Amino acid sequence: MKYRTDIDGLRALAVVAVILFHLGFLPNGYLGVDVFFVISGYLITSIVYGRSEKGKFSIIDFYERRIRRIIPLLLVVSTIAFLLGLVYMLPDDLENLCQSVVASNVSANNILMYLTSADYWAVKNDYKPLMHTWSLGIEEQFYLVYPFLFYVLSGPRLKYIKHVLIALTAVSLIAFLLQDSVAATFYFIQYRFFELAIGGLGAILFSKVVIERYQQGRMLLYGLLAALALILFLPIVPTNELRVLLTTMITVGILIVGKQYFEGDRLYAALMANPVAAFIGSISFSLYMWHQLIFAFARYAFLEEITPGWAVALTGLTLVMSVITYYGIENPFRDRKVMSTRTVLLFTGGLFLLSTGSAFYVYTIGGIVKDYPQLALYRDQLPDQRNFLSGSDNIHISYNENVWDLDRDFTAGTDRIKTLVVGNSFGRDATNLMLESSMSDSLEVRYAEWKELRERPEMKARLLAADRIILAAQTYIDRDYLTSLEEAHDITIDRDKVWMLGTKDFGYSNGIHYNRTDGGTDFQNYRTAMKGDVLSINEQLREEWGDRYIDLIALLANDEGRILVFTPDGKFISQDTVHLTRSGARYLAQRLEDRFAEIFRG
């Protein structure tokens, strides 16, 4: 198959869009991945179908080419991410990175992202160096199925391949349109199959089509290019589903029509095959693999915000690293004259075992590879058990999760003040505040989830027995919640025994604070900005609950809305910028002593 220089230009457009998206400058730039999917399906099918027509298709050869093309660079990047994580990351974040290293290496990071970061657009994903390898998981899972279709339908049965692909594409597209979960349609191969397969169908069905009206074909091609640029760079399409569908169809249209014009049309060649576009397109895989790693570690360890100046600098570093790996890894490993199959397998197999095994081990110890005094975590105090599935015994969430033991009825006949805390994980934080306070010996604290308090019949007795009820807010909760409890259990709740403990937030990532501070830092004045609409939620709660509101942010934030990160002795108040550490709970409980005395002794 003749080399399509214009496809390098299409790759360049796609990878630039993705890079701008991850810098935070192009909201629709993520659609560049959809462009890559269609290109991949088109090129792979062109090769496989052509070989199958000649009776020369080999599954072994197919997988060797895929291994040479993808795996060496993937393993190098995931290994470097792991090594940087050992230096710069706090243990919980390192543990999460180790999960991503293992998942990326086994072509399953799309599944991990669905389980742990379902919202692809969430800010926390900006701090994940390997979050972008979800797309490689999609492609590699596609490759596990796709070649066997051609193997089964080889020889005289090859004429049925287009019918099978049309049927599978239709099933995938219908599933995509009917699935309500945005996360599922984003991360799972069954909802992405149609994008790659449509590229493949374009290669098969239109391989010999000739556009007889040359000028009209040119206009169509330019129109498709303009439409793709508009979708990528302007917010003109209202929904993600429509954006994906239009991007897919326009991209395959460009691939089909552009085949006739990439050599003879000067304007098209100038746009899509100029030296700059061709070079960026040729190194697009390296650019894609490096950019998120560099941006994520920059955000995590050095930069509170990627300004335009820093964006240029980081993109320049991405370009340098991409050139190095393009010439030092991609090209040598793809060339059978340079790298024998044995050498490729030894390198990839060895690095796979080393990086996957090391990352898995660090994951099992919760990422605690050294002492972290800021979190009161020390190597010689590691628990004996190993972390495998991040359950409630995970060392980083166990302090919060242990509160589940208090989801039980009050003790009959006790003289302690019966205190029922209601909430979610924020409620469990509130419970720990009570337990860490100087009044804990005079309290009998019990815990209940928001929803379960209304739905479980036995909660009625708990509500009636409670001397104090503490509601713990993460988002806005109005007083109608109490009315819903009364209606659910046919009771009347004494409003004088109910308080609302407010929301809290400690910024976007602890990583930058960990890497920026040392023992000489003025921890009593070291602050960070809070996320999103936390301040407005806090204000709404304060207005709704009045003197029944316990305002945590007022205790910790200054007039500019910047909140404390550390206790006075340099311990993180929050382990994950949302939930409290034991040190943070003790510090806050101390700051709340007078308020607690008013609530429990008043």
Side-chain angles (χ1 to χ4, degrees):
M1 186 178 73
K2 186 176 291 187
Y3 188 82
R4 291 276 303 272
T5 53
D6 63 320
I7 292 181
D8 278 336
L10 200 55
R11 286 192 181 108
L13 179 64
V15 78
V16 167
V18 172
I19 288 172
L20 289 174
F21 171 75
H22 284 139
L23 284 170
F25 299 140
L26 187 63
N28 288 346
Y30 68 94
L31 294 167
V33 173
D34 301 270
V35 175
F36 279 124
F37 284 158
V38 179
I39 293 173
S40 181
Y42 181 87
L43 292 177
I44 289 297
T45 305
S46 297
I47 295 170
V48 172
Y49 186 73
R51 290 177 178 270
S52 297
E53 283 187 312
K54 298 174 182 178
K56 295 182 178 180
F57 174 62
S58 165
I59 286 182
I60 293 176
D61 178 70
F62 175 87
Y63 283 123
E64 182 186 345
R65 287 176 180 272
R66 291 297 89 202
I67 289 171
R68 286 176 176 271
R69 178 72 180 93
I70 296 173
I71 303 303
L73 181 57
L74 168 63
L75 291 174
V76 167
V77 169
S78 67
T79 301
I80 290 176
F82 172 65
L83 294 174
L84 290 172
L86 292 175
V87 176
Y88 291 109
M89 283 188 161
L90 288 161
D92 190 20
D93 299 315
L94 178 57
E95 176 192 273
N96 293 334
L97 174 63
C98 289
Q99 287 181 323
S100 294
V101 169
V102 174
S104 296
N105 287 359
V106 300
S107 306
N109 203 32
N110 58 319
I111 298 172
L112 177 66
M113 287 291 291
Y114 174 80
L115 295 173
T116 61
S117 304
D119 182 3
Y120 177 76
W121 294 268
V123 173
K124 65 180 180 180
N125 289 333
D126 290 341
Y127 299 86
K128 295 187 175 184
L130 294 178
M131 60 88 70
H132 60 313
T133 64
W134 70 268
S135 65
L136 292 185
I138 295 282
E139 284 205 40
E140 289 159 354
Q141 289 157 25
F142 177 78
Y143 297 147
L144 289 176
V145 176
Y146 201 59
F148 287 97
L149 296 177
F150 289 85
Y151 178 77
V152 171
L153 298 174
S154 60
R157 296 185 297 273
L158 186 63
K159 62 184 178 182
Y160 298 115
I161 190 69
K162 58 180 177 290
H163 304 294
V164 173
L165 284 180
I166 290 171
L168 292 175
T169 299
V171 170
S172 175
L173 180 56
I174 291 170
F176 172 80
L177 294 173
L178 294 180
Q179 175 58 256
D180 293 329
S181 170
V182 174
T185 57
F186 197 93
Y187 287 121
F188 287 153
I189 178 61
Q190 60 266 37
Y191 307 112
R192 293 286 193 169
F193 184 91
F194 77 92
E195 297 182 75
L196 293 119
I198 282 176
L201 285 170
I204 294 172
L205 298 177
F206 297 91
S207 61
K208 298 176 182 179
V209 170
V210 175
I211 299 174
E212 296 180 356
R213 296 185 178 183
Y214 190 82
Q215 292 302 325
Q216 288 88 334
R218 289 180 72 210
M219 293 302 103
L220 173 61
L221 183 58
Y222 299 152
L224 290 171
L225 283 172
L228 181 60
L230 287 173
I231 292 171
L232 291 176
F233 291 93
L234 294 176
I236 60 174
V237 181
T239 66
N240 176 63
E241 290 80 5
L242 186 56
R243 291 182 208 121
V244 169
L245 291 175
L246 288 175
T247 300
T248 300
M249 299 311 299
I250 291 170
T251 302
V252 75
I254 293 171
L255 292 169
I256 293 167
V257 180
K259 183 178 181 181
Q260 188 166 329
Y261 293 89
F262 79 96
E263 289 183 304
D265 187 281
R266 291 184 179 181
L267 178 57
Y268 183 59
L271 290 172
M272 305 300 287
N274 64 76
V276 174
F279 180 67
I280 293 174
S282 65
I283 66 171
S284 59
F285 182 46
S286 280
L287 286 168
Y288 185 79
M289 290 304 298
W290 280 111
H291 81 280
Q292 175 61 15
L293 180 148
I294 291 170
F295 298 168
F297 274 110
R299 287 184 171 107
Y300 188 89
F302 307 109
L303 304 175
E304 285 193 10
E305 179 186 4
I306 296 183
T307 62
W310 275 113
V312 172
L314 294 174
T315 302
L317 177 59
T318 300
L319 182 62
V320 170
M321 294 304 300
S322 300
V323 170
I324 291 172
T325 54
Y326 176 71
Y327 289 107
I329 295 176
E330 284 195 71
N331 280 354
F333 276 92
R334 288 163 66 178
D335 191 339
R336 294 181 178 180
K337 296 178 181 178
V338 176
M339 289 274 187
S340 68
T341 300
R342 181 174 183 273
T343 301
V344 170
L345 293 178
L346 285 174
F347 176 85
T348 56
L351 190 54
F352 173 84
L353 291 174
L354 179 63
S355 62
T356 306
S358 299
F360 183 74
Y361 169 73
V362 174
Y363 163 71
T364 66
I365 62 172
I368 306 174
V369 295
K370 56 186 176 183
D371 291 344
Y372 299 88
Q374 301 93 328
L375 290 168
L377 291 174
Y378 302 93
R379 281 285 300 162
D380 60 1
Q381 297 176 7
L382 275 176
D384 293 332
Q385 76 268 22
R386 287 290 182 262
N387 170 37
F388 286 101
L389 297 174
S390 293
S392 60
D393 60 343
N394 180 290
I395 192 171
H396 304 302
I397 64 174
S398 59
Y399 181 64
N400 188 279
E401 289 289 296
N402 287 342
V403 172
W404 283 108
D405 293 339
L406 298 177
D407 184 4
R408 61 181 190 269
D409 291 336
F410 290 107
T411 304
T414 180
D415 292 331
R416 293 186 175 189
I417 302 170
K418 298 181 179 66
T419 304
L420 177 62
V421 182
V422 184
N424 49 17
S425 57
F426 275 48
R428 297 193 287 279
D429 273 342
T431 303
N432 281 325
L433 284 176
M434 311 293 159
L435 298 176
E436 298 291 352
S437 74
S438 61
M439 299 193 62
S440 61
D441 289 341
S442 62
L443 306 179
E444 183 178 62
V445 183
R446 294 293 182 258
Y447 170 72
E449 286 277 294
W450 286 112
K451 185 177 179 181
E452 293 183 354
L453 187 61
R454 189 161 42 213
E455 295 182 352
R456 286 165 52 185
E458 67 270 24
M459 293 295 184
K460 176 178 180 179
R462 212 178 294 185
L463 283 165
L464 292 173
D467 300 309
R468 302 289 187 274
I469 298 174
I470 309 294
L471 308 178
Q474 179 179 7
T475 57
Y476 178 67
I477 304 292
D478 61 28
R479 293 173 182 263
D480 289 342
Y481 175 72
L482 296 174
T483 303
S484 71
L485 290 178
E486 292 175 325
E487 292 173 351
H489 296 294
D490 192 22
I491 58 174
T492 299
I493 297 174
D494 181 359
R495 299 301 197 268
D496 288 337
K497 68 180 185 180
V498 180
W499 279 263
M500 171 65 73
L501 189 140
T503 190
K504 60 191 184 304
D505 180 83
F506 299 90
Y508 293 94
S509 170
N510 279 339
I512 194 166
H513 312 307
Y514 169 66
N515 287 285
R516 179 181 286 175
T517 57
D518 55 34
T521 300
D522 180 10
F523 294 111
Q524 296 188 71
N525 292 298
Y526 185 95
R527 298 174 184 272
T528 192
M530 287 176 274
K531 292 188 287 288
D533 58 353
V534 174
L535 285 172
S536 64
I537 291 173
N538 190 61
E539 183 60 30
Q540 291 174 40
L541 286 167
R542 186 164 51 207
E543 291 179 2
E544 174 72 13
W545 292 89
D547 61 358
R548 293 276 151 178
Y549 188 58
I550 307 169
D551 193 340
L552 297 181
I553 288 178
L555 290 176
L556 300 171
N558 61 14
D559 293 339
E560 288 77 39
R562 294 178 67 85
I563 197 162
L564 288 173
V565 175
F566 298 98
T567 64
D569 60 347
K571 299 292 191 296
F572 276 112
I573 295 174
S574 173
Q575 176 263 329
D576 58 359
T577 76
V578 177
H579 302 102
L580 299 176
T581 60
R582 186 185 298 273
S583 298
R586 288 173 175 171
Y587 172 65
L588 260 178
Q590 183 181 8
R591 297 285 302 271
L592 287 166
E593 284 293 325
D594 291 343
R595 190 73 164 116
F596 282 169
E598 173 190 334
I599 292 169
F600 294 108
R601 291 174 183 160

